[in-house]
Amino acid sequence: MHPSQQRRERDLRSAELSSRKPAAGADTVVRVVPLASAVPAQEISGSQQFLYAAMIGVLIINLFAPQTLLEQIGTALGLAQDRRGLIAMLPQLGYAAGLILLVPLTDLTENRALITRIIACCALALAGAAFAPTTWLFLLAIFIAGATTCAIQMLVPLVASMVGEAHRGKVIGNVMSGLMVGLLLSRPLSNLLVDVGGWRLLYGMMAVSVALVAVSLRLIVSVRHPAGGLSYLQLIGSLWGLLKSQPVLRLRALTAALGMASFTAFWTAIALLLSQQPFAMSSRQIALFALVGASGAIVAPVAGRVGDRGWTRPATIIAHLCVIAGLIVAGVAGAGWGGFDAAAHPWLALVLLAGVAALVDAGVTADQTLGRRSVNMLPPEQRGRLNGLFVSIFFVGSALGAFVATMAWAAGGWAAVCLAGIAFMAVALLVYCLSSSIKA
């Protein structure tokens, strides 16, 4: 029989079998695929990825914008000198609370409605901060704004669920580049806006921008229903169990925390260094210097693609080594290691420090992108909680880096800050290399 005839015969037999009804009493098997683990129906275009990245960049700004404005805001609100640190601390504390208490809701309720409502609340809180008549209303408003900014960590796993595993790292890298750019631009942009119209204008502009994000997400994001099965209290109670049962999460969260500690130590003290001789830079000039660091965020999509090709481990080690090398150069340019004289070559020292800023940011961005990719490869029905845990842990590292940087600066200046940053990343590299049995 001709091959084509054989195929037709098989097709006819298959059609006949599929059309037969099951006999009485026979069992009928129905295969059900949970929505949360279903194969994505469509891929995300490059323009959509750029839009998601821009939205995340807008949302993250309010967490870091106040850090260089403590004097201006504190003086305007009559806040005592010893309490002005609350202006920078409360958004971070709110964010950590949101990661633990709100992000797990993505494993419980429909994601699009949840995310847009939380972002709308963020916009209202920022508007409240812009018009707050009293100090305590302002502090409450920025705490709530920080807590609702956790919508970022709801959006990232939602985007990850829209694409197949083969391209997930690339998409996460593209989208998360927005977070790093927003983080790095938050300080210079806030200083420029405050110079133009004061700190209330800054919060008003952030409120409008975040409101636009909420509207845009409502229009473009697809509906996603999680698999469900647990109550809210059960979800919260499961966090510790997830941390214990997922070695990939533990490893990646720890290295990300140490990386953020190194990153934050560098950026906490660099303004102090640049404001002194031989640089003597103004606040606006330091803000422009910070723009150089944003260039490091371009490695995020590259790191994602590298992860998709199976090169996660060597890429992570290279990222850690880049940060360590950058901080060694920072010690040369700013602390005179190796006999270098910054006073004799101030422009060369400044160029070296700018290169270090980009290299440190690139290394930390790559490490976080690869870590997020690994975490988002874990069970999809746990993705919201996993991302919340991952980010909350590395934000603890960020807080630790800021604390250590201030102590190191007081004890030994820029040299001590560089040594602290190197130590953080060296520990991260050692832990990662000793965990070769974990595929992360």
Side-chain angles (χ1 to χ4, degrees), residues 80-164:
Q81 191 72 37
D82 60 347
R83 295 185 179 180
R84 292 182 182 181
L86 292 171
I87 298 169
M89 183 177 70
L90 285 175
Q92 305 284 332
L93 291 179
Y95 190 62
L99 291 170
I100 299 299
L101 300 176
L102 297 179
V103 170
L105 289 172
T106 57
D107 294 332
L108 183 65
T109 62
E110 195 279 305
N111 285 187
R112 184 180 71 175
L114 173 68
I115 295 171
T116 52
R117 288 169 185 168
I118 287 180
I119 293 175
C121 290
C122 183
L124 290 173
L126 290 169
F131 294 102
T134 67
T135 301
W136 296 110
L137 283 176
F138 172 80
L139 295 176
L140 176 62
I142 62 173
F143 177 83
I144 295 173
T148 48
T149 300
C150 74
I152 292 170
Q153 306 309 329
M154 301 176 176
L155 183 58
V156 172
L158 175 60
V159 172
S161 71
M162 298 177 185
V163 295

Side-chain angles (χ1 to χ4, degrees), residues 15 25 37 64 92 125 142 209 220 235 257 288 296 339 342 348 382 403 427:
S37 59
F64 298 93
Q92 305 284 332
I142 62 173
S209 301
I220 68 170
L235 286 172
L288 293 175
L348 177 57
Q382 302 169 351
F403 176 74
V427 173

Side-chain angles (χ1 to χ4, degrees), residues 65-420:
Q67 291 183 352
T68 57
L69 305 173
L70 305 187
E71 291 301 315
Q72 295 95 318
I73 298 175
T75 300
L77 293 175
L79 194 61
Q81 191 72 37
D82 60 347
R83 295 185 179 180
R84 292 182 182 181
L86 292 171
I87 298 169
M89 183 177 70
L90 285 175
Q92 305 284 332
L93 291 179
Y95 190 62
L99 291 170
I100 299 299
L101 300 176
L102 297 179
V103 170
L105 289 172
T106 57
D107 294 332
L108 183 65
T109 62
E110 195 279 305
N111 285 187
R112 184 180 71 175
L114 173 68
I115 295 171
T116 52
R117 288 169 185 168
I118 287 180
I119 293 175
C121 290
C122 183
L124 290 173
L126 290 169
F131 294 102
T134 67
T135 301
W136 296 110
L137 283 176
F138 172 80
L139 295 176
L140 176 62
I142 62 173
F143 177 83
I144 295 173
T148 48
T149 300
C150 74
I152 292 170
Q153 306 309 329
M154 301 176 176
L155 183 58
V156 172
L158 175 60
V159 172
S161 71
M162 298 177 185
V163 295
E165 291 189 3
H167 303 290
R168 189 168 293 162
K170 178 186 72 174
V171 172
I172 291 173
N174 290 343
V175 172
M176 288 311 299
S177 63
L179 184 144
M180 294 307 296
V181 170
L183 189 156
L184 294 167
L185 294 182
S186 59
R187 298 179 183 92
L189 286 177
S190 63
N191 278 286
L192 293 175
L193 275 175
V194 169
D195 284 345
V196 171
W199 65 269
R200 291 188 185 273
L201 172 65
L202 168 65
Y203 278 95
M205 292 294 293
M206 288 194 294
V208 172
S209 301
V210 171
L212 290 174
V213 169
V215 174
S216 301
L217 279 174
R218 184 70 183 183
L219 295 175
I220 68 170
V221 173
S222 302
V223 172
R224 176 182 178 268
H225 293 278
L230 296 176
S231 69
Y232 175 71
L233 291 179
Q234 287 173 323
L235 286 172
I236 299 300
S238 70
L239 293 176
W240 177 245
L242 284 178
L243 189 61
K244 290 195 299 182
S245 65
Q246 296 290 356
V248 171
L249 173 64
R250 292 198 303 271
L251 175 61
R252 276 302 183 176
L254 177 58
T255 60
L258 292 166
M260 277 299 288
S262 184
F263 171 91
T264 307
F266 175 84
W267 282 106
T268 297
I270 190 67
L272 300 172
L273 175 69
L274 295 177
S275 64
Q276 297 181 347
Q277 294 295 340
F279 308 108
M281 295 174 68
S282 66
S283 297
R284 185 167 294 190
Q285 289 171 327
I286 293 173
L288 293 175
F289 176 90
L291 294 176
V292 177
S295 63
I298 64 174
V299 307
V302 177
R305 291 182 178 90
V306 167
D308 288 339
R309 294 191 178 187
W311 301 337
T312 296
R313 180 159 288 274
T316 299
I317 292 172
I318 291 171
H320 292 177
L321 290 173
C322 283
V323 176
I324 293 171
L327 290 171
I328 292 173
V329 175
V332 171
W337 293 357
F340 180 80
D341 187 359
H345 308 283
W347 282 105
L348 177 57
L350 188 60
V351 169
L352 289 174
L353 288 171
V356 167
L359 189 60
V360 168
D361 294 345
V364 173
T365 299
D367 177 67
Q368 286 191 14
T369 301
L370 292 164
R372 284 178 182 277
R373 181 188 179 278
S374 297
V375 169
N376 278 283
M377 290 298 182
L378 297 175
E381 66 275 8
Q382 302 169 351
R383 195 167 284 147
R385 285 167 288 165
L386 292 170
N387 274 271
L389 282 168
F390 175 75
V391 179
S392 61
I393 290 170
F394 84 62
F395 258 78
V396 171
S398 178
L400 176 64
F403 176 74
V404 170
T406 55
M407 294 186 63
W409 179 266
W414 182 247
V417 172
C418 291
L419 288 173

